[in-house]
Amino acid sequence: WLVLALLSNELAVMVPVMLVFYLVFNKRRAEWRYLLPGWVMAGLLLLIRFVVMPISLGSEYVLAFNPITWWGNLRWYIFRAVGLSEGWRAYLVTPKIFISVVALAVFWLVWILKAIKNPPRLKTMTLGLGWFLIAVVPVLLLSHHQSPIYQLIGLPGFILAMLSLVNLSRSRFWL
């Protein structure tokens, strides 16, 4: 599956990193050896892509070693993950948008406070948010790459973090 993922999206090189994060997080360090083929495949892809047969990356793939750029990109991806689209701040003067953003902010605040009070949920939320952050690391370094397509690998972690608040055993919604 990793080969197919690497052939379809080069951001899949972060999957072995996320799996190591998962194993460390769940104290299953003995299983790292199973990830060796994934690390080899991801390393080969990076070697071929950037060393053996590098392609012209143009001005769109300029690395920015600037924390302000990293924070701006991370903030953009977080806004997209929580449901805010580009330019949402310009529409805050509209009452419907303002009320929606306030409601969304209250929801996220309650969500975080609820997870902090429950250690198992906090663990799941931390795992999901860590997954999300690790997955978007490659594009945080790029100065002109703010696109929802780059969240494909990170969004399952964000969804896992959101599901940490849902008690699936009591919810009829999931039936």
Side-chain angles (χ1 to χ4, degrees), residues 112-138:
I112 290 168
L113 292 174
K114 190 174 179 182
I116 288 172
K117 293 178 183 178
N118 187 334
R121 288 183 181 190
L122 181 62
K123 183 178 178 181
T124 305
M125 184 179 82
T126 306
L127 175 65
L129 292 178
W131 176 345
F132 175 77
L133 290 174
I134 288 171
V136 298
V137 161

Side-chain angles (χ1 to χ4, degrees), residues 8 10 20 57 67 71 77 85 98 103 156 173:
S8 65
E10 58 193 18
V20 165
L57 299 177
W71 171 247
Y77 284 112
S85 61
F98 181 77
F173 176 78

Side-chain angles (χ1 to χ4, degrees), residues 15 20-22 25 29 31 58-59 64 71 75-76 88 93 99-100 102 109 118 123 125 128 144 155-156 167 175:
V15 170
V20 165
F21 174 72
Y22 172 79
F25 195 80
R29 291 184 180 99
E31 297 177 23
S59 63
W71 171 247
R75 187 179 62 203
W76 190 89
W88 64 272
V93 295
I99 291 169
S100 298
V102 169
L109 182 63
N118 187 334
K123 183 178 178 181
M125 184 179 82
H144 301 295
L155 278 180
N167 187 349
L175 298 177

Side-chain angles (χ1 to χ4, degrees), residues 27 36 39 46 54 65 74 133 151:
K27 297 179 180 114
L36 186 60
W39 280 96
L46 291 174
F65 296 101
L74 179 60
L133 290 174
Q151 289 184 328

Side-chain angles (χ1 to χ4, degrees), residues 44-55:
L44 282 173
L45 175 75
L46 291 174
L47 181 73
I48 291 169
R49 174 83 163 80
F50 293 106
V51 177
V52 176
M53 297 171 23
I55 61 171

Side-chain angles (χ1 to χ4, degrees), residues 17 34 41-42 60 94 121 135 156 168 172:
V17 176
Y34 298 118
M41 286 186 288
E60 291 298 315
T94 308
R121 288 183 181 190
L168 297 177
R172 293 181 183 221

